[in-house]
Amino acid sequence: MLSRRKFIQRSLMATAAAGFVQPAYSFPTEYLSFDLHSHPGSFYGKGLKDYTGDAGVIKTTTEMNTGGLTGAFIALVADMPILERTPTGIKPGKPYAPGEAWKEYLRQMTALKELLKTLPVALATNVNDLDKAFRNKKTAAFIACEGGDFLDGKPELLDQMYVDGVRSMQVVHYAQNALGDLQTEAPVYNGLSASGKEVVKKMNKLGMVVDVAHASFKTAQDVVSVTTKPIILSHSILKLEDTRPLSKRAITPEHAKLVASTGGVVGAWPSGFNNSFDEFVDNTMRLVDVAGIDHVGLGTDMDSNFKPVLDSYLQLPKWADSLKAKGLSTAEVGKIMGGNAKRVLSKVLK
């Protein structure tokens, strides 16, 4: 006999494959919840030869509603066409030619906007949209960019991105760009570049959340020295003594505290760095111990994660219950689920 959860999952997949959208229902009323980093159905590949269709996007966005997700940053991937998967991880291949990155931005943005017309989520740009989503039980979709490569070193392009609805941008991803150094490559700028500092200031002015995921510690330090608003590190995990896959993407306690010092939030990342769902719960608690209860959130990296131990939004209630079982109060769990993220959005977005 199928479990209820498996029955729901199979039903959603069948519905998605048939081209229909299941309506939102059954939001847990206890928590406002937010995902600081997601790529539902790897939508950014829409229109390319390896894209397998919209069924995955429909399934994941439907599960956002079913699992009780109030809002999420849905991220375009700035360096996607120039990345290569290697035996040792994701590496940058050839660099973008001048103007090529902005064309890729326009392609991905067009694809996402077309999808949003039919998906069971609502395009969002401010905190009022998040509150509305909680009342109406329909996930608020905030647009983000993973990496500043789209800008091609031109901070003025942020104006158009803001008009298009982008409300968060990660400074760097896997390919070296003109803004700063990243965790997984040798330093070029010894932190944030002059252009990167301009970008941070302009994002503050426009009302866009600065994300330092994938950034080196020195780059994060430089962002903190420039920003006047809270920042996020949307998806990472604290380093452990043993060597694991994705260990270069882990952060030190000092790194986490740096983000917290701005009033910001670190998104707990359920990647294959964790050996199990239970270990992810434990690693979330480690992050709480280091950064503080007011500075931890969730960054699933949904549908673009490496061996995720949380691979469906239907697991959100289980994650919340598991955190309560560790001794956190309902109010404390509420902060991690989305309260902390909402606080940052309320201080940054206009």
Side-chain angles (χ1 to χ4, degrees), residues 329-344:
S329 67
T330 297
E332 289 172 328
V333 173
K335 288 183 177 185
I336 297 172
M337 294 294 290
N340 293 333
K342 181 184 176 182
R343 183 192 69 245
V344 170

Side-chain angles (χ1 to χ4, degrees), residues 1 7 24 58 63 65-66 80 106 113 121 125 143 176 185 232 264 274 301 306 338 349:
M1 179 179 293
F7 174 78
I58 296 169
E63 288 182 353
N65 286 292
T66 309
M80 188 269 291
L106 294 174
K113 287 291 186 71
V121 296
T125 58
I143 301 176
Q176 182 64 61
E185 297 293 330
I232 62 172
N274 306 273
D301 206 6
F306 173 76
L349 303 187

Side-chain angles (χ1 to χ4, degrees), residues 8-9 12-13 58-69 311-314:
I8 291 172
Q9 285 180 311
L12 289 171
M13 291 177 71
I58 296 169
K59 174 182 178 291
T60 297
T61 52
T62 301
E63 288 182 353
M64 284 178 167
N65 286 292
T66 309
L69 187 71
D311 60 2
S312 167
Y313 290 108
L314 300 181

